[in-house]
Amino acid sequence: MSTSTYTQATTTSRGQFAARMPVWLVSVTAVLVGALVTGVYEFFARAVGVPFNVALPGTGVEPAAIPATGLAWAVAELGLIGIIIAVCLDRFAKRPRSTWKRTAWTLTALSMVPSLIAVTDSYATNIMLVISHLVAAAVIVPVIAARLAERNPRRA
């Protein structure tokens, strides 16, 4: 075997490495990193004095404190839905990447509605909750999109 053939056979770029990783693994990693980043965001928001007391309107309940790391746990738990969607789109969608982007950003926008209408002690809380959705999505959506194929060879 010649040297050039050996070099070509053993050289891989990061893009090729990520493309060989299963969608579920890339998605799980993206969700965990998104949860971590959101937890750091929450830590700094609390450090500057933003109160995280929330209640849903119409419940008649006074706003209660969101536990520390509550936003990170919410991202991790609800990220499971995103993982399932990404895996299903990879398998069944004709254009997984563009379908993922449209679906993920639409669901992100919808998920912000409860944060906007929540009864809180301060409007800063509502704004910080909305931003937390954007922080998580900004980490998770592009990473998963980069792993998904633009066109599904099984559905061509």
Side-chain angles (χ1 to χ4, degrees):
M1 182 182 305
S2 73
T3 309
S4 62
T5 306
Y6 177 76
T7 304
Q8 288 174 346
T10 59
T11 304
T12 61
S13 68
R14 280 189 224 163
Q16 291 170 338
F17 178 73
R20 288 184 285 147
M21 292 177 63
V23 172
W24 70 266
L25 183 58
V26 171
S27 300
V28 167
T29 304
V31 167
L32 291 176
V33 171
L36 178 67
V37 171
T38 304
V40 170
Y41 165 80
E42 177 185 5
F43 173 78
F44 284 112
R46 287 179 190 272
V48 296
V50 176
F52 279 87
N53 300 325
V54 178
L56 291 176
T59 59
V61 178
E62 289 295 316
I66 296 174
T69 71
L71 299 182
W73 277 110
V75 170
E77 291 171 351
L78 296 173
L80 291 173
I81 296 168
I83 293 167
I84 293 167
I85 291 170
V87 169
C88 290
L89 290 176
D90 182 54
R91 176 79 177 144
F92 300 112
K94 192 171 191 174
R95 298 176 55 107
R97 182 178 300 160
S98 59
T99 305
W100 163 256
K101 288 178 187 176
R102 284 192 314 271
T103 303
W105 288 115
T106 300
L107 291 175
T108 300
L110 290 173
S111 74
M112 289 188 283
V113 172
S115 297
L116 289 170
I117 65 171
V119 177
T120 60
D121 293 338
S122 165
Y123 288 121
T125 304
N126 297 82
I127 293 167
M128 295 307 251
L129 289 172
V130 167
I131 293 172
S132 71
H133 287 80
L134 296 173
V135 166
V139 172
I140 296 168
V141 174
V143 171
I144 295 174
R147 171 53 187 88
L148 294 171
E150 186 56 45
R151 292 198 175 270
N152 190 339
R154 293 175 239 165
R155 303 285 177 228

